[in-house]
Amino acid sequence: MTTQKDTWTIAGREFTSRLMVGTGKYASFQQTAEALEASGAEIITVAVRRVNLDRSKESLLDYIDPRKYTLLPNTAGCYTADDAVRTCRLAREAGMSDFVKLEVLGDEKTLFPDNEELLKAARILVKEGFTVLPYTSDDVIMCRKLEDIGCAAVMPLGAPIGSGLGIRNPYNIRIILESVKIPVIVDAGVGSASDAAVAMELGCAGVLMNTAIAGARDPIAMARAMKLAVEAGRLSYKAGRIPRKLYANASSPLDGMIV
């Protein structure tokens, strides 16, 4: 097997870790920082509406080393394109980043994305020079449209946000992987390390999660488990799994059997 470093890129930026993590729902900023460290993530996402941009007071940003992490502000909680665009502009003006995770939600119960508003916001942000990573449904046509307008990656959901149901439709994710050239990052729905490994075994460039780590009984241990799962899933994908067969296939050669 090759020993070449297994890196990936988004809009020309190179990364080694394929695990991206959120920063919400932790018991404290200190626990957030410890989970980030254990995860080995290089890209972390923060909800702009939750961050105290007044740096004279304690803020999550005080616990994040900008030299170590690429900050990915997100528009969580936005339900219209206008709100999402305004939030991204605020993040850039505050010096956070122009590398943004775009969320435009369609309804409070499911938190499914409103793809029509998402596309509208993405067009505006791409034209304004943002590097846009949109959270979308596992819809191949929408992913193609997002790629066509210049998004840097697509982030199809595995299952509803925070549900922990795992990847409900791996076949759609496979079709998306075959249909776009930009990185595909599974976002939302991961509940366990095995879910993260499945995302990587499908061939995704990365996987993003928050609740699966922050909501675990031991978030620090789960962060480490997710790191290892993503690495194992990626290695399994590169190694190539055996074909699935209906009937048995002996593990030992039949030649030389005593009869």
Side-chain angles (χ1 to χ4, degrees), residues 8 153-156 173 176-177 180 182-186 203-207:
W8 62 301
V154 287
M155 307 180 78
I173 300 296
I176 291 168
L177 284 162
V180 302
I182 53 179
V184 176
I185 302 161
V186 164
C204 294
V207 58

Side-chain angles (χ1 to χ4, degrees), residues 26 28-40 63 69 219-220 223:
Y26 288 93
S28 66
F29 290 150
Q30 183 59 41
Q31 187 184 66
T32 308
E34 292 175 13
L36 294 178
E37 179 68 26
S39 75
Y63 293 80
Y69 300 110
I220 312 305

Side-chain angles (χ1 to χ4, degrees), residues 200-211:
M200 301 313 299
E201 288 181 327
L202 286 169
C204 294
V207 58
L208 189 150
M209 66 188 70
N210 188 159
T211 306

Side-chain angles (χ1 to χ4, degrees), residues 132-154:
V132 181
L133 284 68
Y135 163 68
T136 182
S137 54
D138 56 353
D139 177 341
V140 64
I141 306 304
M142 179 53 59
C143 287
R144 283 179 181 162
K145 288 181 179 180
L146 291 166
E147 179 182 41
D148 289 344
I149 65 171
C151 291
V154 287

Side-chain angles (χ1 to χ4, degrees), residues 56-132:
S56 65
K57 302 176 182 176
E58 186 182 42
S59 168
L60 172 64
L61 300 180
D62 297 332
Y63 293 80
I64 298 173
D65 184 349
R67 296 165 299 181
K68 185 172 182 177
Y69 300 110
T70 293
L71 203 59
L72 184 65
N74 70 61
T75 60
C78 292
Y79 286 83
T80 68
D82 289 345
D83 282 348
V85 169
R86 190 180 308 115
T87 300
C88 289
R89 288 170 178 163
L90 176 64
R92 182 157 68 181
E93 289 171 7
M96 293 177 72
S97 177
D98 59 3
F99 194 62
V100 294
K101 178 192 167 191
L102 178 62
E103 290 184 26
V104 185
L105 303 177
D107 125 274
E108 293 184 359
K109 184 175 182 180
T110 64
L111 299 182
F112 282 143
D114 182 332
N115 284 333
E116 184 178 349
E117 289 292 294
L118 179 75
L119 199 59
K120 178 181 174 184
R123 282 198 179 97
I124 295 170
L125 292 169
V126 168
K127 286 181 180 176
E128 293 186 4
F130 285 90
T131 298
V132 181

